[in-house]
Amino acid sequence: MTAAPPPGAASATAAQGAPAKGRIVEGHEVNANRDLTCDVCIVGSGAGGAVLAAGLVGRGLNVVLLEAGGAHTKADFDLQEGRAYPMLYQDRGTRGTADQSISVLQGRSVGGSTTVNWTTCFRTPPRILKHWADHHGVDGLTADALRPHFESVERRLSIAPWPLERANPNNRKLLEGAKKLGWDVHNTRRNVKGCANSGYCGVGCPVDGKQAMHVTYLPDAVAGGLTLFADCRATRLEHRGGRVSAVHADVLDRATGRATGKTVRVRAKVTVASGGALNTPALLLRSGIEGKGLVGKRTFLHPVVTLVALYKEAVKGFYGAPQSVYSHQFAEPAPGGVGFFLEAAPVQPMLMAQAAAAHGTMLRDTMAQLPHISAVLGLIIDGLLPDETGGTVTLRSDGRLRLDYTFHPAVNDAMAAAHDAIARLHLAAGAERVLSLHAEPVEVRDEAGLRALAAKPYGGLKHPIFTAHQMGGCVMGGDPARSVVDAKHQVRGFDNLYVVDGSVLPTSLGVNPSETIYGLAHRARDFVAEAAS
Amino acid sequence: MKRRTLLKVGLGGGVLLALGGVGLSLRGPTRNRPVPDTLRVLSDRQYLTLAAVAARVALPGEGGPTSDEVGVAAKLDQLFATMHPGDVKDIQQLLDLLDNALGGLLLGGRTQTFTGSTTAQQDEILSEWRTSGLSVRRTGYKVLAGLCAATYHADPKTYASVGYPGPPSYGNVRAAQETP
Ligand SMILES: Cc1cc2nc3c(=O)[nH]c(=O)nc-3n(C[C@H](O)[C@H](O)[C@H](O)COP(=O)(O)OP(=O)(O)OC[C@H]3O[C@@H](n4cnc5c(N)ncnc54)[C@H](O)[C@@H]3O)c2cc1C
């Protein structure tokens, strides 16, 4: 049996309304075990998997894509956080490191994290590409080599600067504070078309303004013949002698997340893991593919810290594009140091309450100020120091993934420096006071407050830390002893297994990762297509 | 076994609960709120413990509902029914530990269960867990406080009390988009 859709399968329409040659098959439609053969099987429909799928289908290949999350459209996005996080995020929105020192926001639906991301787009900084070449032996990834890929992706996703006039007041605080302090500050580029400036990117765009994968590359691919199984979780890769012979997957009941008992088996000439950082390493580990002990290692997170800044006037950070301004003032520290960059965050009640990590009067009094809160984030650029190990993905005895993160002392220093910078920035922007989120918070109104802030401890479980950018775990490199995939995304020791997603990044990026992953996936189309033909 | 090791193992493996026969560990929960008959995952005791935690984590703001009115613990029970059983088991063990009088004695020198403590004592226990030198307690705090705070503030009934007008409706925009 080939990848032809079963009778009655939901039909997806192409972006431009042309009848689709392919299908999205939802879990509830799979009433019998399926056994498919195709040219390429891709696991994961996010930034990496979607761009790749469209390119392969465009080259005439027969592609099957398996996605653990559900297929959702704007009609499902009612902008209620209580519904969206369990529906659209990994582990129903409760993912974290094993010790809960870092809360992990990561998407899980058709479109992956792009369905819920905040639309900020950057090309990979040349200094990072140079670092990969110099320290990880990554060949061929230069700004020039990547340019055509970025240009193509930027056209398809309408990536363009977001006018400062449309920045919401929360982002304006970042702009004003940085300007007053003489810091580097700019407007971001965003992947949007017809954006309503609602502010609800993180819970699924209500008007398809965000050019996420489920409204762009995936409909393109389905139009060209892609069969996409939603609610279908790859459990393991069957392999022998360096060849993957089959991908085994469980069909899931969307409501409960439990396996329905039905399975999908895909035998493809080439298999591509695009489950994203954390999940791709976990899939490989479940399949007994350990890459000489390197799979799961070097997982970097851009650990995020923030403070609560209170302004007299209403900021209403819950409305308006979540991120439209950034500062790279502190991105390139002195040798031996770790840098960070500054961006804003949506200030919606559930996310804010979780970020506050408090209880009782402290939580109540913070939340009571919600419309007056501005939230600027410090994102720590981890993974660039030679002795940084970052996070490690392993498996628990019941197969669940486990993430542990080691805080390098320089990362802790960077978190302290980010606290200082964020507090200074808000004071410069006119905040009445800035509160740290330590268990015993520091209230900063002036230099004395900044000194008290500096005296606080920094690190895991000392204050809340988040990540929305998971990178690494199957890192790319030139040295077989230090990398899981080569510069063409091929898993070392395998003829027909590739990884195309954020897990190949050898370090964090110092910028938001989606465009890097789109660009790498666009470049990887040729490598995978060649292997499949 | 050192106290620290015992506690660490206790969270993951239920060792404390295995110490059957110790009177303190058998003390029942205090039933100071009704238990819904719709629970899918939590035992009555775990529900009562979680509801007690939620009540101290999420105090109502001005004019806002209580955590019981929001049904925080019942909503979490429904959420747990859709999560990986392994993740849920960890949370259940945490709740068991919190309402175990022997655990309370070992952890904080108290002989009451969490549900049997006064609200002031419960606040103290939560604060102790938050700032504890034992990372296992800080982890436990983050899990329980995070789940309760998020679930409470995700409920539209709480929006007005924090000055959140709620999300706008895009029905019109969508309708216009659908019109050829
Ligand atoms: C809240 C949030 C905000 C963000 N904001 C930005 C931003 O503004 N700008 C930016 O550049 N980046 C942002 N990001 C990050 C960015 O979206 C991700 O880095 C990017 O989407 C990762 O691409 P990926 O292909 O590696 O994985 P993902 O896009 O996460 O896709 C992986 C997909 O694979 C599926 N999957 C995993 N394992 C399996 C399996 N075994 N079987 C089947 N399916 C599986 C997952 O369910 C998921 O849908 C944000 C992320 C989040 C969560």
Side-chain angles (χ1 to χ4, degrees):
Chain A
M1 192 177 173
T2 64
S11 125
T13 49
Q16 303 309 324
K21 291 191 208 145
R23 291 283 190 277
I24 294 181
V25 183
E26 301 190 78
H28 64 86
E29 299 173 85
V30 183
N31 299 318
N33 293 346
R34 304 289 308 279
D35 204 348
L36 310 168
T37 55
C38 61
D39 293 322
V40 181
C41 175
I42 303 175
V43 177
S45 66
V51 174
L52 181 69
L56 296 178
V57 165
R59 283 161 176 74
L61 293 169
N62 183 1
V63 183
V64 173
L65 196 157
L66 308 176
E67 167 57 55
H72 299 284
T73 68
K74 62 186 172 187
D76 298 328
F77 303 150
D78 66 2
L79 315 187
Q80 295 293 347
E81 293 176 281
R83 192 167 124 84
Y85 283 86
M87 181 168 83
L88 300 173
Y89 284 77
Q90 293 290 336
D91 300 344
R92 306 280 178 196
T94 69
R95 183 163 277 191
T97 51
D99 67 356
Q100 295 295 321
S101 60
I102 307 182
S103 305
V104 176
L105 292 175
Q106 190 175 28
R108 181 185 183 273
S109 70
V110 170
S113 297
T114 74
T115 305
V116 292
N117 83 12
W118 299 344
T119 73
T120 300
C121 289
F122 284 94
R123 293 187 186 187
T124 323
R127 75 178 177 105
I128 297 292
L129 295 173
K130 183 168 181 327
H131 182 96
W132 293 352
D134 294 350
H135 298 272
H136 296 272
V138 175
D139 215 16
L141 280 189
T142 60
D144 279 343
L146 285 172
R147 182 172 303 115
H149 302 292
F150 285 141
E151 284 173 353
S152 174
V153 166
E154 286 161 1
R155 273 194 304 276
R156 179 65 187 95
L157 301 183
S158 303
I159 295 173
W162 184 246
L164 275 179
E165 311 81 76
R166 298 194 72 191
N168 74 358
N170 188 37
N171 279 272
R172 277 175 196 282
K173 299 299 176 199
L174 171 52
L175 179 70
E176 287 160 21
K179 270 192 175 164
K180 282 215 176 108
L181 294 164
W183 293 354
D184 160 274
V185 67
H186 305 277
N187 51 335
T188 60
R189 295 184 315 149
R190 305 181 62 223
N191 56 317
V192 293
K193 193 162 88 183
C195 169
N197 210 6
S198 72
Y200 289 84
C201 304
V203 290
C205 178
V207 297
D208 286 349
K210 173 163 53 178
Q211 298 299 286
M213 298 302 97
H214 70 295
V215 298
T216 55
Y217 283 105
L218 290 173
D220 293 352
V222 170
L226 172 72
T227 304
L228 192 167
F229 284 85
D231 314 299
C232 189
R233 176 175 176 268
T235 50
R236 77 188 163 87
L237 310 179
E238 185 181 329
H239 60 94
R240 203 166 165 191
R243 279 194 74 76
V244 173
S245 50
V247 182
H248 293 267
D250 281 340
V251 177
L252 306 178
D253 172 54
R254 194 178 295 170
T256 63
R258 305 276 190 269
T260 61
K262 299 289 173 285
T263 59
V264 174
R265 183 172 71 160
V266 188
R267 282 173 292 168
K269 288 183 197 158
V270 176
T271 295
V272 184
S274 297
L278 313 188
N279 290 317
T280 283
L283 174 63
L284 298 193
L285 290 173
R286 280 201 304 272
S287 310
I289 301 171
E290 296 179 355
K292 297 185 183 134
L294 295 169
V295 170
K297 301 271 168 55
R298 291 190 69 77
T299 298
F300 297 106
L301 300 174
H302 278 164
V304 175
V305 295
T306 191
L307 295 89
V308 168
L310 293 165
Y311 287 79
K312 196 162 188 237
E313 69 277 16
V315 177
K316 295 188 183 166
F318 29 78
Y319 296 145
Q323 296 187 326
S324 51
V325 175
Y326 71 94
S327 169
H328 283 176
Q329 178 70 22
F330 303 97
E332 296 183 45
V338 166
F340 59 93
F341 57 110
L342 300 172
E343 289 178 347
V347 189
Q348 282 148 5
M350 178 178 148
L351 197 59
M352 184 66 227
Q354 198 160 23
H359 69 275
T361 50
M362 197 183 286
L363 178 68
R364 183 194 62 197
D365 296 348
T366 305
M367 292 304 296
Q369 309 278 342
L370 192 75
H372 297 268
I373 293 175
S374 167
V376 167
L377 309 175
L379 298 95
I380 311 302
I381 306 170
D382 54 346
L384 294 170
L385 293 181
D387 59 342
E388 255 185 282
T389 52
T392 303
V393 175
T394 52
L395 296 180
R396 297 176 197 261
S397 55
D398 58 6
R400 273 180 300 154
L401 81 78
R402 177 187 165 115
L403 172 64
D404 293 275
Y405 188 88
T406 305
F407 290 88
H408 189 283
V411 166
N412 291 341
D413 291 347
M415 291 196 287
H419 272 77
D420 180 76
I422 294 168
R424 281 181 197 279
L425 182 130
H426 282 301
L427 292 182
E432 289 193 317
R433 55 201 175 100
V434 187
L435 298 169
S436 82
L437 294 171
H438 290 93
E440 277 137 24
V442 180
E443 184 172 295
V444 184
R445 292 172 185 268
D446 50 23
E447 283 295 326
L450 288 166
R451 280 195 296 278
L453 187 64
K456 281 297 214 183
Y458 291 93
L461 293 171
K462 310 266 195 254
H463 47 79
I465 305 171
F466 270 85
T467 170
H469 299 166
Q470 300 81 33
M471 296 158 281
C474 293
V475 298
M476 180 181 278
D479 179 356
R482 291 177 56 221
S483 54
V484 175
V485 301
D486 65 18
K488 291 186 168 181
H489 296 256
Q490 188 172 354
V491 176
R492 294 189 181 282
F494 280 81
D495 287 348
N496 66 345
L497 177 60
Y498 288 72
V499 176
V500 180
D501 61 22
S503 66
V504 304
L505 306 179
T507 65
S508 81
L509 298 168
V511 295
N512 313 52
S514 63
E515 191 173 345
T516 293
I517 300 166
Y518 302 138
L520 289 181
H522 196 274
R523 172 177 171 270
R525 300 160 156 207
D526 285 341
F527 310 139
V528 176
E530 198 186 314
S533 18
Chain B
M1 196 189 267
K2 280 197 192 116
R3 187 175 119 162
R4 189 186 167 90
T5 323
L6 175 75
L7 294 176
K8 273 202 170 160
V9 178
L11 185 60
V15 163
L16 277 175
L17 305 174
L19 297 175
V22 181
L24 282 175
S25 68
L26 297 177
R27 193 171 287 173
T30 304
R31 296 183 170 270
N32 45 13
R33 43 174 56 83
V35 178
D37 53 15
T38 51
L39 293 183
R40 293 169 69 187
V41 172
L42 298 175
S43 68
D44 283 12
R45 179 171 207 150
Q46 289 161 348
Y47 171 85
L48 288 164
T49 309
L50 186 58
V53 172
R56 299 321 299 160
V57 167
L59 302 179
E62 219 181 298
T66 64
S67 63
D68 284 313
E69 283 161 357
V70 166
V72 170
K75 284 185 172 188
L76 281 170
D77 177 72
Q78 300 295 314
L79 180 74
F80 296 158
T82 69
M83 283 169 58
H84 191 291
D87 290 335
V88 178
K89 204 167 137 211
D90 287 348
I91 295 168
Q92 287 175 303
Q93 285 179 342
L94 194 56
L95 292 167
D96 292 343
L97 181 66
L98 187 61
D99 207 44
N100 183 295
L102 176 60
L105 181 65
L106 291 171
L107 286 162
R110 285 188 190 77
T111 53
Q112 303 97 327
T113 59
F114 189 81
T115 53
S117 301
T118 65
T119 53
Q121 287 167 333
Q122 289 174 339
D123 289 348
E124 246 172 57
I125 294 169
L126 288 175
S127 296
E128 278 169 21
W129 278 50
R130 186 176 192 205
T131 56
S132 172
L134 294 175
S135 61
V136 68
R137 289 169 76 187
R138 295 204 301 277
T139 298
Y141 176 88
K142 270 213 76 178
V143 171
L144 294 181
L147 287 171
C148 293
T151 305
Y152 179 81
H153 284 288
D155 192 295
K157 289 196 283 295
T158 66
Y159 290 170
S161 68
V162 298
Y164 176 50
S169 161
Y170 286 94
N172 291 344
V173 181
R174 283 184 193 152
Q177 285 175 336
E178 247 85 277
T179 313

